[in-house]
Amino acid sequence: MDIHSEKILILDFGSQYTQLIARRVREAHVYCELHPFDMDLDAIRKYGPQGIILSGGPKSVYDDGAPAVEEALFELGIPVLGICYGMQLLALHFGGKVVPAGKREYGYADLLSKNKPGPIFDGFFIEGKSPVWMSHGDHVEKMPQGFEIIAQTENAPVAAIQNVDRSLYGVQFHPEVNHTPRGEILVDTFVRKICGCKGSWTPGQIIEDAITRINEQVGTDKVILGLSGGVDSSVAAALINRAIGDQLTCVFVDNGLLRLAEGDQVMATFAQNMGVKVIRVNAEDRFLQALYGVSDPEQKRRIIGNLFIEIFEEEAACIMDATWLAQGTIYPDVIESAGGKTGKAQNIKSHHNVGGLPEHMKLNLLEPLKELFKDEVRAIGEELGLPHQMVWRHPFPGPGLGVRILGEVKKEYADILRQADAIYIDELYTSGYYDKISQAFAVFLPVKSVGVMGDGRTYEYVIALRAVETKDFMTAGWTKLPYELMGRISSRIINEVRGVNRVVYDISSKPPSTIEWE
Ligand code: XMP
């Protein structure tokens, strides 16, 4: 079955939760795409969705220039679910009235069923009640024509509306956020029962479909891929290898700024276990030389990024007949580069991702993950047989330890940091904390402090430990690790790593700090 034959269209009005709606639809095993609210009606018809979801948004429907949909959208005969702002648009279109609420409602509310809730609330209420997450300033005061109220809260007398005959539904709360505990039931009901989707979007089917498409695209051509050991490029490599075997060559550049034994692990997983053709380039010396005497963070990033591309190009030139470059681009990257309104506009640090395509390379681009969210990439990674630890590994920046050694990068520092980091991560795994944390790592501080070991005075370096919890890496809080665990990590690092006599813990949030130290 074609996994794209059923699809939901999500029109984005700028809510911070829009991507979550898409994730919920995918969790119901249905394909969906996110598009700007002003998507052309012809384009919508051509896209042919089984259902449309209108997201929330920061504006009021009466604001000047408030985003709206083409009126005829509601006449297409396609089921619509309006969420928050989306519901208000629906109400307005059918002659309802939306007014500013007496007070902005933000947080939990008890949703109470009213009248006879139709199919949209199947399985949602328990004894006529369900906790939901509200975040809105306006609400529907006068009901739109042909609609009935099917739920209310203490502050919102019109918390959900429906017109069952036309399959139009609106909810004032946010079913897509985790704070609405049964929200996924509602999204699942909408896409399956109301829109009639069967749910063919499963890891197994996604892989099968991707393999067919890769084969169609590439034929008998040769493909190269820059393997970094990170989740996205690893899953892309495994998938493409499954599709075209040794037409794929991966280039793995060991820049000397990787974690302990990382290069060997990548080679073991791909070359030995999966039979992927991987060229390993040991380029530690070149990177260290290029970084010699440089301590400015941005300059270090640029040097590492440019040298990576230079080496990658050298290797690519040796694989002369390759006409495709594969990249592990994922759906959020696509949404962002399509000009989605993320808060990322400001360039705080220049991010370099492995595999950036130099203009003059003129290779065709193969991006088999570009419809997938990170959690879907992980699911298919596991299905393809990649090790659990690789698939669930915390993010690691492109410039690697280069931005975790403050100031000038030296081999001596990188070796110390690698060992300290490995002990830290090992203890997090053993204690069961690794999977609860979004990202954890050690940082090397090139300052010396005085200590005492046995009978002797020491004068050695400091290691800082960082652990954060975050959903989107735009904001983050520091993790409250148990003191006992911190104590164990600290004494192991000081005892086992030569050159370190002091360990400190980073208790800064983002903002105003960032996750990495450089
Ligand atoms: P910051 O330090 O900006 O990090 O709060 C946010 C997330 O991005 C990762 N990061 C990078 N990833 N290349 C990458 O691929 C980079 O240059 C880079 N810099 C930061 C960081 O590890 C965190 O997950």
Side-chain angles (χ1 to χ4, degrees):
M1 180 180 180
D2 176 7
I3 53 173
H4 298 92
S5 64
E6 337 179 295
K7 47 193 174 288
I8 298 293
L9 170 66
I10 299 163
L11 292 180
D12 183 9
F13 291 89
S15 157
Q16 56 178 323
Y17 303 135
T18 308
Q19 279 201 28
L20 287 179
I21 304 176
R23 302 246 306 261
R24 294 286 166 270
V25 172
R26 299 282 184 93
E27 279 161 20
H29 301 302
V30 175
Y31 179 66
C32 61
E33 281 180 22
L34 252 162
H35 286 269
F37 66 90
D38 56 358
M39 184 177 182
D40 189 71
L41 214 58
D42 281 339
I44 295 179
R45 277 199 201 92
K46 203 158 145 229
Y47 181 65
Q50 274 61 50
I52 298 175
I53 300 180
L54 311 178
S55 84
K59 293 244 177 181
S60 166
V61 285
Y62 290 121
D63 282 352
D64 269 352
V69 289
E70 284 191 51
E71 301 285 311
L73 180 92
F74 300 111
E75 315 300 330
L76 293 174
I78 300 172
V80 175
L81 171 65
I83 294 174
C84 197
Y85 186 87
M87 160 168 146
Q88 290 154 14
L89 279 179
L90 198 62
L92 203 64
H93 175 80
F94 288 98
K97 191 166 175 219
V98 177
V99 295
K103 66 174 193 281
R104 206 186 146 73
E105 193 180 15
Y106 184 81
Y108 281 109
D110 263 333
L111 189 76
L112 306 174
S113 83
K114 192 162 172 184
N115 300 321
K116 253 220 185 107
I120 189 78
F121 280 139
D122 270 2
F124 189 73
F125 290 113
I126 295 178
E127 293 175 357
K129 230 162 93 165
S130 199
V132 296
W133 185 257
M134 289 287 209
S135 167
H136 64 109
D138 294 350
H139 66 206
V140 174
E141 189 184 64
K142 179 176 149 243
M143 280 296 285
Q145 254 174 12
F147 282 75
E148 58 183 330
I149 306 179
I150 47 173
Q152 61 186 24
T153 67
E154 203 182 321
N155 291 321
V158 184
I161 58 176
Q162 68 178 11
N163 178 333
V164 177
D165 294 340
R166 303 183 64 158
S167 269
L168 302 175
Y169 300 87
V171 294
Q172 185 60 71
F173 58 91
H174 288 275
E176 69 276 27
V177 304
N178 286 332
H179 300 303
T180 298
R182 282 192 287 280
E184 80 258 22
I185 297 179
L186 188 139
V187 175
D188 192 275
T189 304
F190 178 72
V191 300
R192 284 165 173 268
K193 295 215 176 98
I194 294 173
C195 304
C197 299
K198 304 248 169 353
S200 51
W201 188 257
T202 60
Q205 304 261 28
I206 297 170
I207 292 173
E208 239 175 74
D209 177 80
I211 289 174
T212 311
R213 282 202 284 168
I214 293 167
N215 273 303
E216 279 169 9
Q217 273 184 289
V218 170
T220 53
D221 296 349
K222 298 266 165 67
V223 181
I224 49 175
L225 178 145
L227 190 60
S228 71
V231 181
D232 302 341
S233 69
S234 296
V235 174
L239 185 59
I240 299 169
N241 178 63
R242 177 78 67 92
I244 58 168
D246 64 8
Q247 283 165 256
L248 169 72
T249 306
C250 297
V251 176
F252 171 60
V253 179
D254 186 339
N255 58 10
L257 302 168
L258 302 174
R259 290 164 284 195
L260 194 67
E262 191 166 5
D264 296 340
Q265 278 161 14
V266 168
M267 293 309 286
T269 304
F270 287 95
Q272 279 121 318
N273 297 348
M274 299 178 76
V276 179
K277 230 199 277 173
V278 188
I279 299 173
R280 177 177 184 168
V281 189
N282 292 319
E284 181 183 42
D285 291 346
R286 274 176 81 175
F287 278 88
L288 288 175
Q289 232 160 43
L291 288 166
Y292 183 79
V294 180
S295 52
D296 175 66
E298 282 301 285
Q299 209 186 336
K300 290 199 291 183
R301 271 168 198 275
R302 270 194 303 276
I303 290 172
I304 297 170
N306 292 343
L307 187 53
F308 172 82
I309 291 177
E310 200 180 307
I311 294 174
F312 186 74
E313 280 185 87
E314 286 167 17
E315 293 303 322
C318 303
I319 312 164
M320 299 219 285
D321 46 354
T323 47
W324 291 82
L325 177 76
Q327 286 189 312
T329 315
I330 67 172
Y331 195 41
D333 305 334
V334 176
I335 299 171
E336 275 160 33
S337 56
K341 5 94 286 4
T342 67
K344 282 197 175 163
Q346 207 190 345
N347 187 14
I348 310 246
K349 297 174 187 179
S350 55
H351 283 204
H352 160 69
N353 282 309
V354 162
L357 177 65
E359 286 257 334
H360 60 274
M361 277 184 73
K362 302 251 169 18
L363 294 169
N364 299 304
L365 255 195
L366 182 65
E367 298 178 303
L369 310 178
K370 76 167 191 259
E371 290 180 339
L372 307 181
F373 285 106
K374 193 82 171 189
D375 35 11
E376 295 172 323
V377 171
R378 292 193 156 119
I380 72 164
E382 290 208 90
E383 188 97 3
L384 286 165
L386 289 177
H388 178 87
Q389 285 203 352
M390 177 175 268
V391 167
W392 289 97
R393 213 159 194 192
H394 294 169
F396 187 63
L401 302 187
V403 290
R404 293 179 178 171
I405 293 165
L406 299 200
E408 191 182 348
V409 178
K410 294 184 183 165
K411 179 162 166 55
E412 177 203 356
Y413 297 169
D415 286 337
I416 290 178
L417 178 55
R418 257 188 282 271
Q419 291 175 57
D421 188 73
I423 292 171
Y424 181 27
I425 299 302
D426 177 52
E427 286 293 335
L428 291 178
Y429 268 124
T430 317
S431 59
Y433 266 83
Y434 189 83
D435 290 331
K436 296 182 201 156
I437 293 171
S438 310
Q439 193 172 3
F441 54 90
V443 178
F444 179 88
L445 308 188
V447 287
K448 287 186 166 182
S449 76
V450 173
V452 53
M453 209 172 242
D455 293 329
R457 173 186 187 272
T458 59
Y459 187 53
E460 290 172 333
Y461 295 111
V462 183
I463 286 289
L465 304 177
R466 182 90 163 123
V468 295
E469 279 155 57
T470 171
K471 280 217 161 13
D472 54 11
F473 295 87
M474 303 293 292
T475 62
W478 56 277
T479 305
K480 279 97 199 154
L481 289 178
Y483 286 155
E484 198 198 321
L485 175 60
M486 291 206 262
R488 198 162 53 241
I489 296 164
S490 162
S491 49
R492 271 197 65 193
I493 292 176
I494 293 170
N495 286 324
E496 295 173 33
V497 184
R498 292 282 292 272
V500 177
N501 69 356
R502 196 172 293 272
V503 170
V504 297
Y505 191 66
D506 181 351
I507 52 168
S508 337
S509 300
K510 174 183 180 180
S513 301
T514 52
I515 296 174
E516 303 288 346
W517 278 42
E518 281 195 343

